Amino acid sequence: MIKRLFVSLFLIAVVHNSYAQNQGKDLVDSLVAELPKAKEDTNKVKLLINIISNSLAHSALIDEALKYAEEAEALSEKLEWEKGLINSKQVLGRMYWKKGNYTKALSIHREALNAAQKSGDKIMMASICNCIGQDYGDAEENFRTISERVNSLV
């Protein structure tokens, strides 16, 4: 009886996880389909960041999402849109973090933090400090992890 229950719960979990992953990929695909229609403005940057954020959960989409992150960063620079540039750098750093390139992620997150500090955006500063703490943590630099996580709370 318990064995059947365990097997049933296991199968339900596997099917649910598979469904959730496909549903997330479907969302990314539908957002990507909107790109050709998007004008070269801040809304396109937001769309690109939305694609990137939804791609984080899907390892198979990371390389493609990196391309969108670089496009969002370049368009933000072209538009001279500071908030978009900060967000673009943050998600670009997350992509490199997801790929395991913590050094590159840290470098990009530091650029994003500097831009956020210049703009005075404390919420973004805290969020980016949290990312930096995670970069250090995954690179196994625990003292710096604690320092950056504390900075994110200040």
Side-chain angles (χ1 to χ4, degrees):
M1 175 76 172
I2 292 176
K3 191 175 184 179
R4 278 189 188 166
L5 179 63
F6 177 74
V7 169
S8 297
L9 289 174
F10 177 76
L11 290 173
I12 289 170
V14 168
V15 168
H16 182 267
N17 187 35
S18 175
Y19 173 74
Q21 285 182 352
N22 286 338
Q23 187 177 23
K25 182 159 180 352
D26 290 345
L27 174 60
V28 171
D29 290 343
S30 69
L31 293 170
V32 169
E34 294 298 315
L35 277 175
K37 302 176 222 169
K39 296 177 184 173
E40 296 284 308
D41 59 9
T42 58
N43 287 324
K44 184 170 184 176
V45 174
K46 291 175 186 177
L47 176 60
L48 288 162
I49 290 171
N50 198 359
I51 291 168
I52 300 157
S53 298
N54 283 289
S55 298
L56 268 170
H58 305 281
S59 296
L61 301 176
I62 297 301
D63 288 330
E64 188 176 344
L66 262 171
K67 177 182 71 172
Y68 295 129
E70 290 167 350
E71 184 179 346
E73 182 181 24
L75 183 55
S76 295
E77 285 177 352
K78 177 182 171 187
L79 297 171
E80 298 178 359
W81 187 40
E82 190 173 26
K83 184 176 181 177
L85 184 60
I86 295 167
N87 285 323
S88 298
K89 285 185 180 294
Q90 184 182 22
V91 295
L92 181 60
R94 296 307 285 165
M95 291 293 111
Y96 281 106
W97 167 81
K98 184 78 172 178
K99 287 180 66 82
N101 189 340
Y102 307 123
T103 304
K104 181 80 170 172
L106 180 61
S107 173
I108 294 168
H109 283 138
R110 287 255 178 237
E111 290 174 17
L113 181 59
N114 288 337
Q117 287 171 330
K118 286 178 186 172
S119 75
D121 189 336
K122 294 189 183 294
I123 292 173
M124 281 304 297
M125 288 166 39
S127 178
I128 295 165
C129 281
N130 193 47
C131 291
I132 290 171
Q134 191 165 20
D135 296 340
Y136 279 128
D138 290 337
E140 298 183 4
E141 294 190 34
N142 295 322
F143 177 76
R144 287 184 174 172
T145 300
I146 293 168
S147 173
E148 292 298 335
R149 294 285 168 108
V150 169
N151 283 341
S152 75
L153 300 174
V154 176

